[in-house]
Amino acid sequence: MAAFQRRLIDARGEFQGNGGGLMPRMLASPAAGAPSREEHAVTASGGGGVALRGASRPRGGAFSAAKATGRRRTAPGTPLWRVAVFASVALNVATLALLLHHYAVSHQHHPAAASPDQRHDTCVQPETSGAAARTVESKDRDTRAPSTGKPAVTHDSVINLDHGDPTMFEAFWRETGDAAEIVIPGWQTMSYFSDVTNVCWFLEPDFDQQVRRLHRTVGNAAVDGYHVLVGTGSTQLFMAALYALAPPNADGAGEPMSVVSTAPYYSSYPAVTDFLRSGLFRWGGDADTFVGDTYIELVCSPNNPDGAIREAVLSSDAGKAVHDLAYYWPQYTPITRRADHDIMLFTVSKSTGHAGTRIGWALVKDREVARRMTKFVELNTIGVSKDSQLRAAKVLRAVSDGYDDEHSSGGAMRSHRLFDFGRRKMVERWSMLRAAAAASGIFSLPDETIGYCNFANETAGNNPAFAWLRCDREDVVDCAGFLRGHKILTRCGSQFGADTRYVRVSMLDRDDAFDFFVRRLASLK
């Protein structure tokens, strides 16, 4: 670049003496068009501005277009306007060369600033081959791999147990091989429709089949005589149920239907109910204090946040009930009966841990209610992703196969039983948490309950997906704030209609996060 600047100064001086012939000299190439040594250097370094550097002035004075053609003619005096044009061009060319040089140098020393395509090129050079090339390509693929959730924690990390992110199950699914893997061809799942003869016309038949098979295997819910509906998570189906059960009030004269649940209730119930400020329904608060005959009661059992087994507390001919059974699975609670309520909601998020698949399902007795719920999903999202349904179907199939004698007799699937894995993990974690709370001396937890599990054929304890933790220290009235000061994030009891001394703690995070949490909790006094 210094050489180029010197040549530019020489050119300016030459131009000032005689403006004619500068443009031809800058455009002409050195002898016979062969690149100069400087060109070779720039090309080898990958820098920009090769053509500009190749236009350097050869030794031995001016080189003009007249010399190149072997003809001579007398050049008249150069007009002033041409001098100005040539000066402008020369300055622009110099500026461009400087910018290109700066670009080449900055990207040579700072490759991370390059575009994604350029970064890829810098990772895999043309001369890279064999094992080295495969290693680089593998690393490149790893950077584009889908996210697996929150990063690993360290001693100084903030432990976020506010959300019920079920990453605990990752360890199980990593060991199952291809049992839950699926490949979807590019031409498949393109239509909106799955089965136009079904009430839920976007429900994939295989997902329908695997839902029914899993419930029959576990024995936690009746499926015969029920319509299976699919939603983008159970939250969408919860909203669909409110839409289906509320009176139409088409003229706007009727009062919105009250939606209630016994406190402590799931913190999202009030937020989701009132989010759209619908004229059909509105949040009515704690079911224990509700007065009236027209309502929709939400019954979450096992309950989120405290894990209690719940039944409806209200009874009225005009009242309706929706049973949220997201946690009614053997890893969390004994399966004591086959639930057969009018509307039952489930989700793969808490049954198998696949929260990112965003699939939930409802078992609905009444055809008209099922039709109205389907209409809500249709208007809301025009159906549900078929790709997610097919993946969820494969996952549910793998779970059922683990408990099917025909599929597990060889021993391969018998060692991959999801509910056995989940139950062992939850028993272990609850034991650790109770020990940490006792060591601290300032926290308390609900008493453990037991029951006979029809699925496991033995007596089992209740090991909820969330811990309903209370801080008993007299000077602490905001337990969530107290724990936040010690880098533990939880959800405050006030969001569940309860006292601020309570917090909800997720029990479903990865082992490293949970281990740091219980150690940190035990150290608090």
Side-chain angles (χ1 to χ4, degrees):
M1 181 52 65
F4 179 86
Q5 291 172 325
R6 285 195 298 272
R7 290 197 301 274
L8 179 60
I9 293 171
D10 293 342
R12 284 178 176 171
E14 193 173 310
F15 179 83
Q16 291 171 354
N18 179 14
L22 179 61
M23 181 59 70
R25 284 195 297 275
M26 295 191 70
L27 296 178
S29 60
S36 67
R37 288 192 300 269
E38 196 168 351
E39 266 190 326
H40 282 297
V42 175
T43 303
S45 66
V50 175
L52 293 173
R53 294 197 176 195
S56 60
R57 180 165 52 94
R59 299 176 194 152
F63 182 79
S64 70
K67 280 188 178 181
T69 60
R71 291 177 293 183
R72 288 179 173 271
R73 66 176 179 175
T74 304
T78 304
L80 185 59
W81 65 267
R82 184 175 296 176
V83 173
V85 170
F86 288 158
S88 176
V89 170
L91 290 174
N92 287 339
V93 169
T95 302
L96 176 61
L98 289 171
L99 289 174
L100 290 173
H101 176 74
H102 175 73
Y103 181 87
V105 171
S106 64
H107 280 66
Q108 181 179 359
H109 292 89
H110 304 284
S115 68
D117 289 340
Q118 289 166 328
R119 286 198 298 270
H120 176 76
D121 290 341
T122 59
C123 290
V124 186
Q125 296 294 342
E127 63 270 20
T128 305
S129 60
R134 287 193 295 272
T135 300
V136 173
E137 289 171 1
S138 176
K139 289 180 179 178
D140 191 60
R141 281 195 301 270
D142 290 344
T143 63
R144 299 193 303 267
S147 168
T148 57
K150 294 175 290 188
V153 299
T154 66
H155 179 75
D156 296 323
S157 294
V158 174
I159 309 300
N160 188 348
L161 301 178
D162 177 19
H163 302 285
D165 200 24
T167 48
M168 176 190 81
F169 293 96
E170 280 183 7
F172 172 83
W173 290 109
R174 287 180 182 273
E175 298 298 323
T176 57
D178 61 357
E181 293 180 4
I182 185 171
V183 176
I184 302 175
W187 56 267
Q188 198 173 344
T189 70
M190 295 181 67
S191 173
Y192 287 112
F193 303 96
S194 294
D195 182 0
V196 295
T197 66
N198 199 328
V199 171
C200 187
W201 51 267
F202 44 81
L203 172 66
E204 281 294 302
D206 191 36
F207 182 67
D208 184 353
Q209 179 183 348
Q210 295 307 323
V211 163
R212 295 177 187 274
R213 180 189 176 201
L214 184 62
H215 283 302
R216 292 188 180 106
T217 298
V218 177
N220 60 342
V223 292
D224 294 337
Y226 280 80
H227 299 279
V228 175
L229 312 181
V230 66
T232 305
S234 59
T235 299
Q236 186 183 41
L237 292 167
F238 158 61
M239 297 178 69
L242 298 185
Y243 170 81
L245 296 178
N249 290 334
D251 57 0
E255 286 291 319
M257 201 163 190
S258 294
V259 179
V260 299
S261 188
T262 301
Y265 40 72
Y266 178 35
S267 57
S268 288
Y269 286 160
V272 173
T273 301
D274 286 342
F275 181 68
L276 295 180
R277 304 191 181 193
S278 170
L280 301 179
F281 45 80
R282 66 183 175 192
W283 179 247
D286 189 349
D288 284 334
T289 60
F290 177 77
V291 177
D293 294 327
T294 304
Y295 57 83
I296 301 173
E297 182 179 359
L298 307 175
V299 183
C300 186
S301 183
N303 188 43
N304 177 357
D306 61 357
I309 301 300
R310 291 276 185 85
E311 297 289 345
V313 300
L314 301 176
S315 178
S316 166
D317 291 339
K320 309 291 182 181
V322 176
H323 285 76
D324 184 347
L325 305 183
Y327 303 95
Y328 192 44
W329 296 99
Q331 64 266 46
Y332 308 121
T333 189
I335 304 301
T336 58
R337 60 182 292 265
R338 192 183 301 271
D340 58 354
H341 308 291
D342 289 345
I343 302 175
M344 299 179 283
L345 306 181
F346 297 89
T347 173
V348 297
S349 172
K350 300 307 184 290
S351 56
T352 71
H354 291 82
T357 304
R358 306 308 310 130
I359 287 290
W361 69 92
L363 302 177
V364 183
K365 275 185 181 178
D366 186 85
R367 181 180 178 86
E368 180 58 23
V369 172
R371 187 194 65 78
R372 286 177 58 80
M373 289 180 66
T374 298
K375 189 63 176 179
F376 176 88
V377 177
E378 175 187 330
L379 295 174
N380 188 227
T381 54
I382 318 181
V384 176
S385 167
K386 290 185 180 182
D387 293 358
S388 291
Q389 291 187 63
L390 293 178
R391 186 191 186 204
K394 189 66 180 292
V395 167
L396 298 188
R397 182 192 299 273
V399 175
S400 296
D401 284 351
Y403 295 94
D404 190 329
D405 291 337
E406 179 182 349
H407 292 86
S408 62
S409 57
M413 288 302 298
R414 188 177 293 277
S415 62
H416 295 129
R417 291 184 164 180
L418 175 70
F419 302 126
D420 294 24
F421 167 87
R423 185 178 170 194
R424 286 194 303 270
K425 295 293 289 186
M426 297 307 295
V427 168
E428 176 188 24
R429 291 187 173 195
W430 270 97
S431 177
M432 293 169 62
L433 178 59
R434 291 187 186 279
S440 175
I442 65 171
F443 296 103
S444 58
L445 293 159
D447 293 333
E448 182 181 11
T449 60
I450 60 173
Y452 188 81
C453 180
N454 295 326
F455 173 74
N457 292 320
E458 62 183 17
T459 300
N462 190 32
N463 300 291
F466 297 100
W468 191 231
L469 187 71
R470 187 181 194 275
C471 185
D472 297 323
R473 209 170 84 174
E474 291 186 1
D475 62 330
V476 176
V477 295
D478 178 9
C479 188
F482 173 68
L483 292 175
R484 190 183 308 114
H486 295 277
K487 297 184 178 180
I488 301 172
L489 302 185
T490 59
R491 191 168 298 186
C492 182
S494 61
Q495 297 187 52
F496 303 89
D499 193 277
T500 57
R501 291 182 181 272
Y502 286 92
V503 293
R504 190 195 74 171
V505 181
S506 172
M507 301 287 289
L508 302 180
D509 215 302
R510 295 189 182 96
D511 286 343
D512 55 355
F514 190 80
D515 291 347
F516 277 116
F517 161 63
V518 292
R519 274 185 251 152
R520 201 172 291 178
L521 192 76
S523 68
L524 302 180
K525 304 295 181 181

